[in-house]
Amino acid sequence: MNEGRYPTDWAVWADHWDLVEGHGMNVEAVPALAAQLRDPVLLVGSGQGLVAASLSSAGFHVVAVDSSATMARRARERRGVETVLCDVVDLRLGRRFATALVSTGVVNERSIAAGLVPRLVEVLRAHLLPDGVVLIAYFRRSAWTGVAELLGLYDRPSTNAFFWVAGGDVERARQLFTDRSADPEAVGLAFSRHGEALARHADFIRRVGERCERLGSVDPEGFIRDHAGFYPFPLSTAAEVSLLAELGAGGLVPRGEALLNGADTRVVVLGVGP
């Protein structure tokens, strides 16, 4: 049902999810959004249960929903979180919630283009109490986005394998990127200005590759090349405008927002209009 809406199959990343789930909607979001959250909570895109478990620990009654059977199984194994296995557009729970929280990853440029938003709004409103609120989280473009695009880190296949080949050595990776770039000067400038962020990314790629080696089920370089470019598919300004317009057309009116992770993640707080 969700084919074409997401840049990758979440199940592919199941063995590595603990390395990326701290981005976007994470445990820090629960206290940051405390003023907007009301019980009970419908959580869409619950993944391996990180936010669902955090909400439960904070005293909320949570119904977690995800479309990936693999992620739902890991949520149960890792955190004891039970998940309603369902594509959100097919969700029919027969009950209503004070808060509907849509996690990062559900709304992205591809899902917007595929027509998800109007159907998502319909489902959320069908599960929302009259005075309920909707919180939708998504990744925004940042300085890092430009660097990642310049270096081809979001491409499929991506250039992330250069970091693995370089063994996590940022200077060696820089040389690999420079040697293969049509604009080596821009690449050099990106590494100079964003060296710290690239070093963190190189460490992430190293850990993914080392885990692939320990699991022995996939070739590390091939996995990184073919799959590491999925994250975090941020929204362009035009896509943000389109998203807000479609939400408004569905009767959801902005009531506020919160910025997480150094403003890389935006959470829009909405209520039923007018």
Side-chain angles (χ1 to χ4, degrees):
M1 286 294 296
N2 58 24
E3 184 177 356
R5 280 197 248 133
Y6 307 112
T8 194
D9 179 353
W10 303 119
V12 169
W13 276 87
D15 290 328
H16 308 274
W17 200 246
D18 60 300
L19 300 178
V20 299
E21 64 184 356
H23 298 282
M25 182 68 69
N26 55 28
V27 293
E28 296 177 2
V30 177
L33 300 173
Q36 287 79 29
L37 295 171
R38 290 183 288 164
D39 207 29
V41 178
L42 172 65
L43 175 61
V44 176
S46 52
Q48 294 190 8
L50 176 70
V51 174
S54 298
L55 286 166
S56 295
S57 295
F60 291 95
H61 297 85
V62 184
V63 173
V65 178
D66 203 278
S67 61
S68 169
T70 302
M71 299 299 262
R73 185 178 69 253
R74 294 299 178 87
R76 184 185 307 112
E77 293 170 350
R78 292 183 64 197
R79 298 187 170 99
V81 172
E82 295 298 328
T83 305
V84 176
L85 185 61
C86 183
D87 189 322
V88 64
V89 299
D90 299 320
L91 191 65
R92 304 290 186 274
L93 295 177
R95 57 173 296 194
R96 293 179 180 267
F97 298 81
T99 304
L101 177 57
V102 180
S103 191
T104 39
V106 176
V107 173
N108 60 80
E109 291 210 353
R110 188 173 296 185
S111 65
I112 292 172
L116 170 69
V117 178
R119 291 184 288 167
L120 176 64
V121 170
E122 182 181 351
V123 169
L124 294 178
R125 291 197 59 173
H127 290 84
L128 200 66
L129 290 169
D131 60 345
V133 294
V134 174
L135 287 77
I136 298 180
Y138 57 87
F139 294 106
R140 310 175 76 203
R141 291 184 64 86
S142 64
W144 168 253
T145 308
V147 173
E149 290 175 341
L150 171 68
L151 299 180
L153 304 183
Y154 292 164
D155 296 345
R156 298 284 300 277
S158 75
T159 56
N160 282 288
F162 289 163
F163 287 110
W164 173 249
V165 172
D169 185 325
V170 177
E171 283 306 311
R172 185 181 173 197
R174 176 179 184 160
Q175 192 62 52
L176 289 171
F177 279 99
T178 301
D179 290 346
R180 291 160 177 79
S181 174
D183 192 348
E185 184 176 347
V187 169
L189 190 61
F191 271 85
S192 297
R193 289 182 174 177
H194 303 279
E196 186 176 337
L198 286 165
R200 289 195 299 270
H201 186 72
D203 184 63
F204 161 66
I205 294 298
R206 177 188 59 77
R207 288 185 289 163
V208 169
E210 289 176 350
R211 183 165 299 178
C212 287
E213 288 184 326
R214 289 198 301 272
L215 294 171
S217 56
V218 293
D219 167 58
E221 185 174 343
F223 180 90
I224 291 167
R225 181 185 61 248
D226 294 338
H227 299 293
F230 91 96
Y231 194 78
F233 40 94
L235 297 192
S236 64
T237 300
E240 284 195 78
V241 171
S242 176
L243 170 63
L244 292 175
E246 290 190 276
L247 292 172
L252 294 181
V253 180
R255 305 292 193 204
E257 70 170 15
L259 300 177
L260 309 173
N261 306 317
D264 284 351
T265 302
R266 185 185 188 192
V267 183
V268 181
V269 182
L270 307 118
V272 177

